Amino acid sequence: CVAPTFEPAAGSVGYGTEVTIATTTDGATIYYTSNDDTPTSDSDEYDPDNKPTVSGNQTFKAIATKSGWSNSDVSSATYTYYYVITAVSNNDSYGTVSGTTTITATPEDGYRVIAGDGGYTVTTGTAEVVNNGDNTFTVTPTSNCTIRINFEEIPSHTVIFSVNGNTTRTATVREGVSITFPTAVETTPGEDEFEKVINGQTFVAWYTAAYTHATDAPSYVNTASMGTSDVTYYAVYATVEESNGSYTLDYNGTGETISSQITTNYGKVV
């Protein structure tokens, strides 16, 4: 008989991989072992409908026999195994995934990976998974497993631009996206613009608190990214006069002197 062959070829294969054993001798019966023992007619008979699987680091050996024929030489194939990791997305329209022991998640525009342990689910098998926080996951399997990466739509919040306390503009911005502030213009303002001068007072800056009467300036802002909740920015107007290294700013008619330590901010904006 012709000696049997093995498929897949010897080498590293996924845990649970089926092993196909075949011979070109018609009508031959194949006997095999999976523990490196030499096979005989008392060994397991190969059944193509119930193929053996790799369940560890194993050496398979097989012979082909047929009545009236000489037994074939012994064939062998040694396999080492690895656990099979399958990565899937919770929704392919939210993002795609790739990789095995290191899974890379690629969110679609407007989506992100859920932070922390919520970013993944072990749906089959067992594994230790670490969400690295940079759209990658480290997987240490203890069996064949399926890891689902969980994406979510990035929430949006409302930005309110309060201009001199009587004109309000709003925008809807996704978390983490840079906020585009309206532009102060001296001409008739367009959709994303507002008046630089109102009632003889000049726009100074955007602030994170309402400003009607104060001796200390609230937080000055010129760039920002959307946070996790709605936010209001206030445009402050003033009559500006420079004197002795400080600015006298007439906020909404109250008249306050702001210390020289914030002179640079006003010097850049006014």
Side-chain angles (χ1 to χ4, degrees), residues 115-138:
D117 291 344
Y120 66 89
T121 305
V122 182
T123 60
T124 64
T126 55
E128 179 182 339
V129 184
V130 177
N131 185 344
N132 298 316
D134 59 355
N135 290 341
T136 66
F137 297 79
T138 301

Side-chain angles (χ1 to χ4, degrees), residues 18-259:
E18 289 186 335
V19 178
T20 299
I21 310 173
T23 178
T24 57
T25 302
D26 289 338
T29 299
I30 296 174
Y31 296 95
Y32 73 93
T33 62
S34 58
N35 60 358
D36 201 21
D37 286 349
T38 299
T40 68
S41 57
D42 292 326
S43 301
D44 291 331
E45 182 178 337
Y46 176 74
D47 179 0
D49 294 325
N50 187 25
K51 298 177 182 179
T53 59
V54 175
S55 58
N57 296 325
Q58 297 171 275
T59 296
F60 285 77
K61 292 184 176 180
I63 58 170
T65 67
K66 184 175 180 179
S67 179
W69 292 53
S70 297
N71 290 350
S72 72
D73 291 336
V74 176
S75 299
S76 67
T78 297
Y79 299 103
T80 57
Y81 77 95
Y82 56 86
Y83 290 124
V84 178
I85 303 169
T86 303
V88 299
S89 169
N90 66 326
N91 189 319
D92 289 337
S93 65
Y94 291 2
T96 58
V97 297
S98 62
T100 54
T101 53
T102 298
I103 298 174
T104 298
T106 305
E108 296 293 337
D109 184 47
Y111 296 87
R112 66 186 179 191
V113 174
I114 296 175
D117 291 344
Y120 66 89
T121 305
V122 182
T123 60
T124 64
T126 55
E128 179 182 339
V129 184
V130 177
N131 185 344
N132 298 316
D134 59 355
N135 290 341
T136 66
F137 297 79
T138 301
V139 181
T140 304
T142 51
S143 71
N144 290 348
C145 57
T146 300
I147 312 298
R148 185 183 70 215
I149 303 304
N150 299 320
F151 297 90
E152 66 176 356
E153 185 174 4
I154 300 174
S156 295
H157 306 285
T158 300
V159 182
I160 299 173
F161 300 102
S162 180
V163 179
N164 206 36
N166 54 31
T167 303
T168 300
R169 299 175 185 271
T170 63
T172 301
V173 184
R174 290 200 301 262
E175 290 182 8
V177 174
S178 295
I179 295 172
T180 300
F181 288 82
T183 302
V185 295
E186 296 183 2
T187 57
T188 301
E191 181 179 354
D192 296 321
E193 300 172 331
F194 65 99
E195 293 176 313
K196 183 175 182 179
V197 179
I198 297 178
N199 297 328
Q201 294 186 323
T202 302
F203 169 70
V204 176
W206 293 102
Y207 290 88
T208 55
Y211 204 107
T212 57
H213 182 87
T215 56
D216 296 312
S219 299
Y220 162 78
V221 180
N222 60 10
T223 60
S225 296
M226 189 68 242
T228 58
S229 61
D230 295 347
V231 62
T232 299
Y233 292 102
Y234 300 87
V236 173
Y237 288 77
T239 300
V240 182
E241 296 179 0
E242 183 176 6
S243 174
N244 299 323
S246 66
Y247 286 98
T248 300
L249 306 177
D250 184 17
Y251 288 91
N252 297 327
T254 62
E256 300 294 343
T257 300
I258 308 300
S259 65

